[in-house]
Short mmCIF file of all heavy atoms in Angstrom, two decimals:
data_model
loop_
_atom_site.label_atom_id
_atom_site.label_comp_id
_atom_site.label_asym_id
_atom_site.label_seq_id
_atom_site.Cartn_x
_atom_site.Cartn_y
_atom_site.Cartn_z
N LEU G 8 -12.26 -15.75 8.44
CA LEU G 8 -12.08 -14.60 7.50
C LEU G 8 -12.92 -14.65 6.32
O LEU G 8 -13.63 -13.71 5.98
CB LEU G 8 -10.54 -14.69 6.89
CG LEU G 8 -9.50 -14.27 7.69
CD1 LEU G 8 -8.11 -14.45 7.14
CD2 LEU G 8 -9.82 -12.87 8.35
N ASP G 9 -13.37 -15.90 5.75
CA ASP G 9 -14.38 -15.96 4.77
C ASP G 9 -15.73 -15.65 5.25
O ASP G 9 -16.53 -14.95 4.60
CB ASP G 9 -14.36 -17.47 4.12
CG ASP G 9 -14.64 -18.51 5.06
OD1 ASP G 9 -14.41 -18.33 6.32
OD2 ASP G 9 -15.27 -19.56 4.61
N THR G 10 -15.95 -15.92 6.43
CA THR G 10 -17.24 -15.52 7.11
C THR G 10 -17.35 -14.03 7.42
O THR G 10 -18.36 -13.45 7.17
CB THR G 10 -17.50 -16.34 8.39
OG1 THR G 10 -17.46 -17.70 8.14
CG2 THR G 10 -18.79 -15.99 9.06
N LEU G 11 -16.23 -13.50 7.74
CA LEU G 11 -16.12 -12.08 7.94
C LEU G 11 -16.41 -11.36 6.69
O LEU G 11 -17.10 -10.25 6.68
CB LEU G 11 -14.75 -11.66 8.55
CG LEU G 11 -14.44 -10.18 8.74
CD1 LEU G 11 -15.55 -9.70 9.88
CD2 LEU G 11 -13.05 -9.95 9.09
N ALA G 12 -15.89 -11.80 5.61
CA ALA G 12 -16.04 -11.16 4.19
C ALA G 12 -17.57 -11.13 3.84
O ALA G 12 -18.09 -10.12 3.41
CB ALA G 12 -15.26 -11.89 3.19
N LYS G 13 -18.23 -12.31 4.21
CA LYS G 13 -19.65 -12.44 3.77
C LYS G 13 -20.44 -11.47 4.78
O LYS G 13 -21.38 -10.87 4.33
CB LYS G 13 -20.19 -13.86 4.07
CG LYS G 13 -19.61 -14.84 3.04
CD LYS G 13 -20.09 -16.20 3.39
CE LYS G 13 -19.34 -17.28 2.67
NZ LYS G 13 -19.71 -18.60 3.17
N LEU G 14 -20.13 -11.53 6.02
CA LEU G 14 -20.73 -10.64 7.14
C LEU G 14 -20.56 -9.16 6.61
O LEU G 14 -21.55 -8.45 6.70
CB LEU G 14 -20.04 -10.83 8.40
CG LEU G 14 -20.72 -10.20 9.71
CD1 LEU G 14 -22.12 -10.69 9.88
CD2 LEU G 14 -19.90 -10.48 10.94
N CYS G 15 -19.43 -8.73 6.33
CA CYS G 15 -19.24 -7.41 5.79
C CYS G 15 -20.13 -6.99 4.64
O CYS G 15 -20.74 -6.06 4.50
CB CYS G 15 -17.79 -7.02 5.44
SG CYS G 15 -16.71 -7.06 6.93
N ALA G 16 -20.23 -7.97 3.66
CA ALA G 16 -21.16 -7.73 2.55
C ALA G 16 -22.65 -7.55 2.90
O ALA G 16 -23.28 -6.69 2.49
CB ALA G 16 -20.87 -8.85 1.48
N VAL G 17 -23.10 -8.38 3.69
CA VAL G 17 -24.37 -8.45 4.21
C VAL G 17 -24.77 -7.11 5.05
O VAL G 17 -25.84 -6.60 4.93
CB VAL G 17 -24.72 -9.71 5.12
CG1 VAL G 17 -26.08 -9.62 5.83
CG2 VAL G 17 -24.81 -11.00 4.18
N LEU G 18 -23.83 -6.79 5.87
CA LEU G 18 -23.97 -5.76 6.76
C LEU G 18 -23.61 -4.32 5.94
O LEU G 18 -23.74 -3.23 6.56
CB LEU G 18 -23.20 -5.78 7.92
CG LEU G 18 -23.42 -6.85 8.88
CD1 LEU G 18 -22.42 -6.96 10.02
CD2 LEU G 18 -24.86 -7.03 9.34
N GLU G 19 -23.05 -4.44 4.77
CA GLU G 19 -22.72 -3.33 3.98
C GLU G 19 -21.72 -2.45 4.63
O GLU G 19 -21.89 -1.19 4.76
CB GLU G 19 -24.07 -2.48 3.52
CG GLU G 19 -24.97 -3.28 2.67
CD GLU G 19 -26.08 -2.49 2.27
OE1 GLU G 19 -26.43 -1.29 2.80
OE2 GLU G 19 -27.01 -3.00 1.50
N VAL G 20 -20.73 -3.03 5.10
CA VAL G 20 -19.69 -2.29 5.89
C VAL G 20 -18.23 -2.82 5.29
O VAL G 20 -18.10 -4.01 4.90
CB VAL G 20 -19.68 -2.62 7.36
CG1 VAL G 20 -19.39 -4.15 7.72
CG2 VAL G 20 -18.75 -1.74 8.08
N ASP G 21 -17.38 -1.88 5.24
CA ASP G 21 -16.09 -2.26 4.65
C ASP G 21 -15.22 -2.97 5.56
O ASP G 21 -15.11 -2.59 6.78
CB ASP G 21 -15.33 -0.81 4.26
CG ASP G 21 -14.06 -1.04 3.66
OD1 ASP G 21 -13.45 -2.20 3.43
OD2 ASP G 21 -13.50 0.03 3.11
N ALA G 22 -14.72 -4.07 5.23
CA ALA G 22 -13.86 -4.96 5.98
C ALA G 22 -12.66 -4.13 6.53
O ALA G 22 -12.32 -4.47 7.69
CB ALA G 22 -13.37 -6.10 5.21
N ASN G 23 -12.21 -3.23 5.90
CA ASN G 23 -11.11 -2.31 6.50
C ASN G 23 -11.60 -1.67 7.73
O ASN G 23 -10.78 -1.35 8.61
CB ASN G 23 -10.67 -1.28 5.58
CG ASN G 23 -9.87 -2.09 4.32
OD1 ASN G 23 -9.18 -3.02 4.44
ND2 ASN G 23 -9.95 -1.42 3.12
N THR G 24 -12.76 -1.20 7.71
CA THR G 24 -13.31 -0.57 8.87
C THR G 24 -13.37 -1.46 10.09
O THR G 24 -13.04 -1.04 11.21
CB THR G 24 -14.79 0.05 8.63
OG1 THR G 24 -14.65 0.90 7.55
CG2 THR G 24 -15.46 0.67 9.84
N ILE G 25 -13.96 -2.74 9.85
CA ILE G 25 -13.94 -3.74 10.83
C ILE G 25 -12.61 -4.12 11.45
O ILE G 25 -12.53 -4.33 12.63
CB ILE G 25 -14.69 -5.11 10.40
CG1 ILE G 25 -16.08 -4.69 9.96
CG2 ILE G 25 -14.62 -6.20 11.44
CD1 ILE G 25 -17.09 -4.29 10.97
N LEU G 26 -11.70 -4.28 10.53
CA LEU G 26 -10.29 -4.62 10.87
C LEU G 26 -9.41 -3.50 11.38
O LEU G 26 -8.23 -3.70 11.59
CB LEU G 26 -9.66 -5.36 9.75
CG LEU G 26 -10.44 -6.64 9.32
CD1 LEU G 26 -9.75 -7.33 8.19
CD2 LEU G 26 -10.33 -7.75 10.50
N CYS G 27 -10.01 -2.20 11.39
CA CYS G 27 -9.25 -1.03 11.86
C CYS G 27 -8.06 -0.71 11.01
O CYS G 27 -7.03 -0.35 11.58
CB CYS G 27 -8.82 -1.19 13.33
SG CYS G 27 -10.15 -1.71 14.38
N VAL G 28 -8.05 -1.02 9.66
CA VAL G 28 -7.02 -0.86 8.87
C VAL G 28 -6.44 0.67 8.87
O VAL G 28 -5.31 0.92 9.01
CB VAL G 28 -7.23 -1.32 7.38
CG1 VAL G 28 -6.15 -0.95 6.47
CG2 VAL G 28 -7.48 -2.83 7.46
N SER G 29 -7.40 1.47 8.77
CA SER G 29 -6.93 2.89 8.80
C SER G 29 -6.19 3.25 10.16
O SER G 29 -5.31 4.10 10.14
CB SER G 29 -8.10 3.86 8.48
OG SER G 29 -9.02 3.69 9.55
N SER G 30 -6.66 2.73 11.15
CA SER G 30 -5.89 3.02 12.47
C SER G 30 -4.66 2.44 12.47
O SER G 30 -3.69 2.95 12.96
CB SER G 30 -6.83 2.34 13.53
OG SER G 30 -8.04 2.83 13.76
N TYR G 31 -4.39 1.26 11.83
CA TYR G 31 -3.13 0.53 11.78
C TYR G 31 -2.18 1.48 10.89
O TYR G 31 -1.02 1.77 11.34
CB TYR G 31 -3.25 -0.81 11.24
CG TYR G 31 -1.91 -1.58 11.01
CD1 TYR G 31 -1.26 -2.00 12.12
CD2 TYR G 31 -1.41 -1.63 9.78
CE1 TYR G 31 -0.02 -2.53 11.99
CE2 TYR G 31 -0.16 -2.24 9.66
CZ TYR G 31 0.60 -2.75 10.66
OH TYR G 31 1.73 -3.40 10.54
N GLU G 32 -2.67 1.96 9.75
CA GLU G 32 -1.90 2.77 8.84
C GLU G 32 -1.46 4.08 9.54
O GLU G 32 -0.41 4.61 9.12
CB GLU G 32 -2.65 3.06 7.64
CG GLU G 32 -3.01 1.83 6.76
CD GLU G 32 -3.73 2.06 5.48
OE1 GLU G 32 -4.43 3.18 5.44
OE2 GLU G 32 -3.90 1.07 4.69
N GLU G 33 -2.11 4.59 10.55
CA GLU G 33 -1.82 5.82 11.24
C GLU G 33 -0.89 5.58 12.33
O GLU G 33 -0.40 6.61 12.80
CB GLU G 33 -3.03 6.49 11.68
CG GLU G 33 -4.03 6.92 10.43
CD GLU G 33 -5.43 7.30 10.91
OE1 GLU G 33 -5.71 7.45 12.15
OE2 GLU G 33 -6.19 7.55 9.99
N GLU G 34 -0.70 4.39 12.77
CA GLU G 34 0.14 4.32 14.05
C GLU G 34 1.63 4.37 13.57
O GLU G 34 2.08 3.93 12.52
CB GLU G 34 0.03 2.85 14.52
CG GLU G 34 -1.22 2.52 15.24
CD GLU G 34 -1.31 1.18 15.77
OE1 GLU G 34 -0.39 0.30 15.78
OE2 GLU G 34 -2.49 0.70 16.25
N PRO G 35 2.39 5.11 14.42
CA PRO G 35 3.85 5.23 14.10
C PRO G 35 4.55 3.91 14.20
O PRO G 35 4.22 3.17 15.09
CB PRO G 35 4.33 6.24 15.18
CG PRO G 35 3.32 6.12 16.19
CD PRO G 35 2.05 5.73 15.60
N PRO G 36 5.60 3.69 13.48
CA PRO G 36 6.40 2.49 13.52
C PRO G 36 7.02 2.31 14.94
O PRO G 36 7.39 3.39 15.59
CB PRO G 36 7.46 2.62 12.51
CG PRO G 36 7.30 3.97 11.92
CD PRO G 36 6.04 4.57 12.51
N GLN G 37 7.09 1.18 15.49
CA GLN G 37 7.69 0.89 16.69
C GLN G 37 9.22 0.61 16.63
O GLN G 37 9.51 -0.01 15.66
CB GLN G 37 7.07 -0.29 17.48
CG GLN G 37 5.55 0.13 17.61
CD GLN G 37 4.87 -0.95 18.76
OE1 GLN G 37 5.50 -1.71 19.20
NE2 GLN G 37 3.66 -0.70 18.81
#
């Protein structure tokens, strides 16, 4: 996780994008 945070900063990408957070928020509850 700490490396992922650094990687996202270097690549200028939001960690939420990498971790698919918006996709998770859109999934209906099971």
Side-chain angles (χ1 to χ4, degrees):
L8 290 178
D9 60 332
T10 305
L11 178 63
K13 292 175 193 174
L14 186 61
C15 288
V17 166
L18 301 177
E19 298 179 354
V20 64
D21 187 346
N23 290 329
T24 300
I25 298 292
L26 297 174
C27 310
V28 170
S29 62
S30 297
Y31 178 75
E32 292 172 350
E33 294 170 7
E34 287 182 8
Q37 297 195 5

